[in-house]
Amino acid sequence: MTRIDKHAAGSFCWIEVGTTDQTAAKKFYSTLFGWTPNDMPMGPGEVYTIFRLDGRDAAAGYTLRPDQKAQGVPPHWMPYVAVESADQAADTAKQLGGSVLAPAFDVMEAGRMAVLQDPTGATFCVWQAGKNTGIGIAGMEGTLCWGDLSTSDVKRASDFYSALFRLADLPGRKRQVRLPAYQEWRTLHRRHSARGAQSAGRSSTLVGLLLGG
């Protein structure tokens, strides 16, 4: 088990499931991954469930809002990527051809976030940590271990995320599959070479999340 106290910019730092049946989702994931649900009031009749594993935050869940249901948003998992500034990330995403679905806003004292969409249509969030840095555990069953982006335009998506999060194609690891292309990206840090960078994601056909189990 690895305890996480801070996430590097450009890495996945949080995941949450939006569902039409929060009670059923809590029961399902608690049984499947051993998560302990903790409900936090969000407003009249609303709660935000933080799933904990071994005493550390592992994921979250909430009930889809009426406006989301009206727009036909299905139950889904949403990935969050750590950034130094949610405002700057939103501005940069727009400059790179993406869309800002929700401008940066404060989540009480937990942090600041924005909801973005890449130029090929995939939606994700960016998170500027405040008191809540995000997932606090990794390296064991039931923890986030990978993120996939499946897209209709691999190059456009690759260019977008590379510029937004300073990612680079993992050298020597490209391979052909049934999908149009497959790439793996790494987060590059100023003092680290590409060879020593941490794996951040890969591109293919849908936004998906994998959990160890």
Side-chain angles (χ1 to χ4, degrees):
M1 179 189 77
T2 301
R3 294 170 64 94
I4 303 173
D5 295 314
K6 183 178 181 180
H7 292 269
S11 63
F12 291 109
C13 64
W14 193 244
I15 50 173
E16 65 182 14
V17 60
T19 176
T20 55
D21 192 333
Q22 196 166 344
T23 299
K26 286 190 289 185
K27 182 178 179 180
F28 175 78
Y29 290 108
S30 296
T31 302
L32 184 62
F33 295 126
W35 292 347
T36 300
N38 293 271
D39 290 339
M40 303 178 63
M42 290 178 61
E46 291 184 280
V47 295
Y48 189 73
T49 300
I50 294 183
F51 293 106
R52 309 202 86 197
L53 186 63
D54 202 30
R56 307 281 288 182
D57 293 352
Y62 70 98
T63 298
L64 291 172
R65 301 185 306 273
D67 62 300
Q68 291 177 299
K69 295 177 183 178
Q71 294 169 15
V73 176
H76 65 282
W77 278 95
M78 177 70 78
Y80 284 63
V81 180
V83 293
E84 295 180 1
S85 169
D87 295 84
Q88 183 177 347
D91 290 342
T92 302
K94 189 172 182 179
Q95 293 171 15
L96 293 171
S99 301
V100 179
L101 303 184
F105 61 93
D106 291 325
V107 183
M108 296 177 284
E109 296 180 340
R112 190 167 175 81
M113 64 174 285
V115 184
L116 310 177
Q117 188 176 61
D118 76 21
T120 71
T123 302
F124 63 100
C125 296
V126 290
W127 181 254
Q128 176 186 335
K131 289 188 175 181
N132 190 324
T133 57
I135 291 172
I137 188 171
M140 64 180 292
E141 293 186 2
T143 59
L144 177 66
C145 63
W146 196 253
D148 275 346
L149 168 67
S150 297
T151 175
S152 58
D153 191 332
V154 172
K155 185 181 185 307
R156 192 175 185 190
S158 178
D159 290 344
F160 173 81
Y161 289 107
S162 295
L164 183 60
F165 298 125
R166 285 183 238 151
L167 300 176
D169 293 333
L170 191 63
R173 292 287 296 279
K174 294 183 182 179
R175 61 184 176 88
Q176 294 295 322
V177 293
R178 286 187 176 182
L179 298 171
Y182 177 95
Q183 291 179 315
E184 180 172 306
W185 296 324
R186 284 184 168 184
T187 304
L188 294 181
H189 303 285
R190 294 177 184 175
R191 297 185 180 179
H192 292 76
S193 66
R195 187 175 182 181
Q198 189 176 31
S199 183
R202 57 181 179 178
S203 133
S204 222
T205 334
L206 266 183
V207 172
L209 295 165
L210 301 180
L211 296 113

